[in-house]
Amino acid sequence: MSRCRIDLGRIEEWVKAKRFKKILIQVPPGLWPEAVTVSEFLKKAGVETIIHGGSCWGGCDVAYFEAKSLKLDAIIHMGHSRFLERDEVPTYYLECRYMDPEPLKSLLGEIKDRLSGCKRIGVGLTVQWLDFLDELLTWLRNIGFEPYVGEPIGVLRYRGQVLGCNYHPLLKLEKIVDCYLVIGSIFHGLGLALQTRKPTYAGDPCTQRIVKLEEHVKKLLKSRYSYIQEFRNARRIGILLSVKPGQRRVKLAVKLRRIIEEAGKISEIVVVDDVEEDHLLDLPHEAFVNTACPRLSIEDQNRFKK
Amino acid sequence: MSRCRIDLGRIEEWVKAKRFKKILIQVPPGLWPEAVTVSEFLKKAGVETIIHGGSCWGGCDVAYFEAKSLKLDAIIHMGHSRFLERDEVPTYYLECRYMDPEPLKSLLGEIKDRLSGCKRIGVGLTVQWLDFLDELLTWLRNIGFEPYVGEPIGVLRYRGQVLGCNYHPLLKLEKIVDCYLVIGSIFHGLGLALQTRKPTYAGDPCTQRIVKLEEHVKKLLKSRYSYIQEFRNARRIGILLSVKPGQRRVKLAVKLRRIIEEAGKISEIVVVDDVEEDHLLDLPHEAFVNTACPRLSIEDQNRFKK
C-alpha cells in the first residue's frame, strides 16, 4: 500500500484529456514503490511509460531533456511541487503527500519539551507533510504555543511550505517569532538555521527526532571559513554552471568569471549536470565556485576535495 | 608542452569562418592540459569558451544537450574521431593524435618476443596513435612479421583504426591472420579478444606493456555466465536506454521489453545518461539489460551489484 495520496483517476484524466501516449516518470529514489504503481496503472490504461533512472534533486531538476530526447509526450514528476514557471515538456507534478498524520502527531510530546523556552514559533513543512498543516497548528496551539506560518511566494507554492533552498516566508517572520520548527529532515531545517539567528529545530516524523541545529550551524560555518581561506589562495577557479532547468544561472556565472578574472585569477565556466566529485577531481581547477544548487556548497562541500 | 598534435591555427580558421562566438570544449579527463591550451587560445582570440565538466566516453557521447541548453554556437570535442553521421550542434572533432612515436617504437622488441609464434598479424590502433600506422607496419615487416590492417567502414573513419565497440574491419581478416595486435589499452584489445578465437595482444605504448588477453577473456566469460544465470531468475527487469547521442537505441529497448514481457517477466525501460551504480541500486529492478555502451556490460558489470 502506498504511503502517499496518489489520485490515479486524476492522472488518467490528465493523460486522456491531453491524449498523451508516451510518458516519462521521474522520481527521487525514496518514492520508487509509488512510481511503479503509477507506471503499472498507466501501462494498463494503454500508455507507454519510461522510467527516469537518473538523479532527481527537486522541482528544479525536471527531466525535460530526457523526455525531448526520447520524443515522449509528457512527464510525471513525483515528490516535488512545481518549482519552474513554465515547463518545456508538459509536466504533471505529483506531490506525493503523506496520508498518515500519526508520525507527525507523535512528535508533539517532544516538541513540547524541547521547545519549552519558545512561545511564538515559525513553522514550515516540506510538501510531503503539508496536508496536515492546519492540524499541526491546532495541536501546537493546544499545547500552549503560538505558531506562525509564511504565505506562499515564488517557488514556494503553498502556505507553510519550505524548500531546501528557499525560506523567504519564514524569514519574514523573524521579528515576530522566538524560534523556528521545520517539519521534514535535518537538511530542510539546516538551510533555514544558516540564515537566521533564531533557534531552529528540525522535526522529522520519519525518524521521530527533534534536532536543535545550533551545533550543526557552528560546525558548518567553521568549515566554510576554512574553505573560503583555501579558495583565496587558488589561482585557477572553475565556476560550476548547471544544465538543470531550475539551476541554470548563466548570467551569474558570466558575472562571477569577470569578477574572478579582475581579481587576477584564471577562470573558466564549467558546465555540469549532477556535480560529481570524480569530475571535479579530474578538472584542472584548484577551486570551484558553485552556481548550481546552493545546498551543494553546504552539505556536500566536504565530499569534494577541492 | 602538449603531447598531441593540435593545430590551433586550423581551429581558429574554423571558428572565424563560421563566426562562432561561444564554444563548448568537451574532453575526456586525460586530456585536460590540451583542453586548457585550446580554451586559453580561443579566449585570447575573443571567443567565449565554456568547459564541459561531465564525463566524455567517446565520439558517441557528444555534449549537444549542454551546448543547446546554454545557447552555445559550437562544440570542440577532443580525443575522439567523428562517430555520429550528423551533429545536432556544429562540432569540431579534435582527435589529439600523439606527436612522439618513441613509446610505440620502443614496444617493438617485446612485440617481436611475445608474438614470435605468429607470422600474419591483424593490426589496429586507437586514433591517438594513427599517425604512426605506416611506420608501425614498416617496423613490423622489418622484424619479420606480415601485418594486415582493416579498411575504414562506418564509425571507423580511418584505415587501421579501432574503437572499443567496433572491430568489423579486423574481424574480416579473421581467416588470414594468425593473431591480432591492438595498439592502445587493454580495454581496446579486450573488446576484440571477446569476438575472435585468434590470440589477441594489447600493446600499450603509455605503460610499455604487451598483454595477451586469453586469461582476461576466460575470466570475463565465466563471470558473464554467472550473471546470465542470475538474470534468468529475476522477475522485474529494467532495460537501460541511454540519452547519449550515439547510444540512444530506442527501437532495441522497445523490442527487448516486448521479448521480456512475453517471457512472463515485468519490464520497464529506464532512461539514463551515465549508467551509475547508485541509481541502479535504488531502482526497483532485480536485473538490467543494457542497450547503452556495450562495454558497460563487460568492464563495468562487476561494479554493478545487479
Side-chain angles (χ1 to χ4, degrees), chain A residues 204-222:
Chain A
D204 187 340
C206 299
T207 61
Q208 288 291 308
R209 287 202 305 167
I210 306 285
V211 178
K212 193 178 182 185
L213 297 164
E214 217 175 341
E215 283 308 310
H216 291 73
V217 168
K218 270 191 200 156
K219 214 169 134 187
L220 257 175
L221 290 181
K222 217 165 149 181

Side-chain angles (χ1 to χ4, degrees), chain A:
Chain A
M1 203 194 73
S2 174
R3 302 154 292 173
C4 301
R5 210 178 292 279
I6 293 180
D7 190 339
L8 292 170
R10 224 172 125 190
I11 298 172
E12 193 178 13
E13 224 170 76
W14 181 72
V15 170
K16 296 232 155 131
K18 309 268 185 169
R19 299 187 184 182
F20 295 138
K21 296 282 172 231
K22 296 177 183 177
I23 289 191
L24 183 69
I25 300 176
Q26 187 190 19
V27 69
L31 290 170
W32 274 118
E34 285 76 11
V36 167
T37 305
V38 174
S39 171
E40 290 184 352
F41 172 80
L42 288 176
K43 274 205 253 176
K44 277 177 200 149
V47 177
E48 213 182 295
T49 59
I50 288 190
I51 285 185
H52 181 264
S55 56
C56 180
W57 299 104
C60 54
D61 184 10
V62 186
Y64 302 133
F65 164 62
E66 288 80 354
K68 283 193 268 188
S69 165
L70 301 176
K71 299 192 173 62
L72 306 179
D73 305 322
I75 298 170
I76 296 179
H77 180 99
M78 298 176 64
H80 307 119
S81 61
R82 169 182 285 282
F83 183 90
L84 296 149
E85 280 309 318
R86 275 176 309 173
D87 290 312
E88 294 174 32
V89 172
T91 301
Y92 188 99
Y93 292 87
L94 184 59
E95 293 171 359
C96 299
R97 298 191 180 191
Y98 289 131
M99 283 196 292
D100 181 9
E102 220 29 69
L104 181 57
K105 197 173 179 184
S106 72
L107 272 182
L108 281 175
E110 211 181 327
I111 291 176
K112 192 179 171 185
D113 292 346
R114 301 285 307 280
L115 276 70
S116 62
C118 310
K119 170 88 182 160
R120 288 163 298 187
I121 314 178
V123 177
L125 298 89
T126 59
V127 73
Q128 265 67 51
W129 294 105
L130 267 189
D131 276 354
F132 311 117
L133 171 61
D134 288 330
E135 278 154 282
L136 176 65
L137 297 182
T138 304
W139 296 335
L140 287 172
R141 276 186 212 109
N142 288 347
I143 54 174
F145 292 111
E146 200 177 296
Y148 293 82
V149 291
E151 293 305 314
I153 174 174
V155 293
L156 292 164
R157 307 275 162 183
Y158 303 104
R159 182 168 163 259
Q161 187 188 5
V162 291
L163 282 173
C165 58
N166 198 313
Y167 301 91
H168 283 159
L170 283 177
L171 292 168
K172 277 191 186 173
L173 303 171
E174 190 81 0
K175 288 190 180 158
I176 302 172
V177 300
D178 305 319
C179 72
Y180 288 107
L181 171 65
V182 175
I183 299 296
S185 65
I186 292 183
F187 170 87
H188 292 97
L190 193 55
L192 175 61
L194 283 163
Q195 297 177 58
T196 172
R197 299 207 165 199
K198 293 285 159 94
T200 304
Y201 295 84
D204 187 340
C206 299
T207 61
Q208 288 291 308
R209 287 202 305 167
I210 306 285
V211 178
K212 193 178 182 185
L213 297 164
E214 217 175 341
E215 283 308 310
H216 291 73
V217 168
K218 270 191 200 156
K219 214 169 134 187
L220 257 175
L221 290 181
K222 217 165 149 181
S223 84
R224 294 287 305 150
Y225 188 74
S226 78
Y227 287 122
I228 291 167
Q229 291 298 83
E230 274 181 52
F231 183 87
R232 286 193 182 161
N233 297 325
R235 283 156 313 152
R236 185 178 280 275
I237 310 277
I239 299 159
L240 299 177
L241 169 61
S242 174
V243 285
K244 294 194 187 296
Q247 301 183 14
R248 201 185 297 147
R249 295 187 188 85
V250 180
K251 279 183 194 165
L252 175 61
V254 171
K255 194 175 164 186
L256 282 169
R257 177 163 63 184
R258 207 182 49 236
I259 293 171
I260 292 168
E261 287 184 349
E262 281 171 7
K265 295 173 190 286
I266 307 167
S267 181
E268 271 111 17
I269 297 175
V270 178
V271 61
V272 290
D273 186 356
D274 284 348
V275 178
E276 305 272 5
E277 190 195 352
D278 284 356
H279 298 159
L280 299 197
L281 283 176
D282 280 332
L283 282 157
H285 305 93
E286 293 156 40
F288 293 94
V289 187
N290 169 34
T291 72
C293 171
R295 297 306 294 268
L296 279 167
S297 306
I298 297 172
E299 269 70 22
D300 295 349
Q301 176 86 65
N302 54 15
R303 262 206 301 134
F304 305 129
K305 291 199 188 63
K306 47 182 190 176

Side-chain angles (χ1 to χ4, degrees), chain B residues 49-65:
Chain B
T49 59
I50 288 190
I51 285 184
H52 181 264
S55 55
C56 180
W57 299 103
C60 54
D61 184 11
V62 186
Y64 302 133
F65 163 61

Side-chain angles (χ1 to χ4, degrees), chain B residues 14-290:
Chain B
W14 180 73
V15 170
K16 296 233 157 129
K18 308 267 183 169
R19 298 187 186 182
F20 295 137
K21 296 283 173 231
K22 295 177 185 180
I23 289 191
L24 183 69
I25 300 176
Q26 187 190 19
V27 69
L31 290 169
W32 275 117
E34 285 75 12
V36 167
T37 305
V38 173
S39 170
E40 288 183 352
F41 173 78
L42 287 176
K43 275 205 254 176
K44 275 177 200 147
V47 177
E48 211 180 299
T49 59
I50 288 190
I51 285 184
H52 181 264
S55 55
C56 180
W57 299 103
C60 54
D61 184 11
V62 186
Y64 302 133
F65 163 61
E66 287 80 354
K68 284 193 267 186
S69 165
L70 301 176
K71 300 191 170 67
L72 306 179
D73 305 324
I75 298 170
I76 296 178
H77 180 99
M78 298 176 66
H80 308 119
S81 62
R82 169 182 285 283
F83 182 93
L84 296 150
E85 281 310 318
R86 274 177 310 173
D87 290 313
E88 296 174 31
V89 172
T91 302
Y92 188 99
Y93 293 86
L94 184 59
E95 294 171 358
C96 299
R97 299 192 179 191
Y98 289 132
M99 283 196 292
D100 181 9
E102 220 29 69
L104 180 58
K105 198 172 180 184
S106 71
L107 274 180
L108 281 174
E110 211 181 329
I111 291 174
K112 193 179 172 186
D113 292 345
R114 300 286 308 279
L115 276 69
S116 61
C118 310
K119 170 87 182 160
R120 288 164 299 188
I121 314 178
V123 177
L125 298 89
T126 58
V127 73
Q128 265 67 52
W129 294 105
L130 268 188
D131 276 354
F132 312 116
L133 171 62
D134 289 330
E135 277 155 282
L136 176 64
L137 298 181
T138 306
W139 296 335
L140 288 172
R141 277 185 212 108
N142 289 347
I143 54 175
F145 292 110
E146 201 177 295
Y148 294 82
V149 290
E151 293 306 313
I153 174 174
V155 293
L156 291 164
R157 309 274 162 184
Y158 304 104
R159 182 169 164 258
Q161 186 188 5
V162 291
L163 280 175
C165 57
N166 200 312
Y167 302 92
H168 283 158
L170 284 176
L171 291 168
K172 279 192 186 171
L173 304 170
E174 190 81 359
K175 288 189 180 158
I176 304 171
V177 300
D178 305 319
C179 72
Y180 289 107
L181 172 64
V182 175
I183 300 294
S185 63
I186 292 183
F187 170 88
H188 292 97
L190 192 55
L192 176 61
L194 283 162
Q195 296 177 59
T196 173
R197 298 204 166 201
K198 295 285 160 95
T200 303
Y201 296 84
D204 187 340
C206 299
T207 62
Q208 288 292 305
R209 288 201 306 165
I210 307 284
V211 178
K212 193 179 183 186
L213 296 165
E214 218 174 342
E215 284 307 311
H216 291 73
V217 169
K218 271 192 202 156
K219 214 170 134 186
L220 256 176
L221 290 181
K222 218 166 148 181
S223 83
R224 295 286 304 149
Y225 188 73
S226 78
Y227 287 122
I228 291 166
Q229 290 299 82
E230 274 181 54
F231 182 87
R232 286 192 183 162
N233 297 324
R235 285 156 311 154
R236 183 177 282 275
I237 311 277
I239 298 158
L240 298 177
L241 169 61
S242 174
V243 286
K244 294 194 188 297
Q247 301 184 13
R248 201 186 297 148
R249 296 185 187 86
V250 180
K251 279 183 194 165
L252 175 60
V254 171
K255 195 176 164 185
L256 283 169
R257 178 163 62 183
R258 207 182 49 236
I259 295 171
I260 292 169
E261 288 185 348
E262 279 169 8
K265 296 173 189 285
I266 307 166
S267 180
E268 270 111 17
I269 297 176
V270 178
V271 60
V272 290
D273 187 358
D274 284 348
V275 178
E276 306 273 5
E277 190 196 352
D278 285 354
H279 297 159
L280 300 196
L281 283 176
D282 280 333
L283 282 157
H285 305 93
E286 292 157 41
F288 294 94
V289 187
N290 169 33

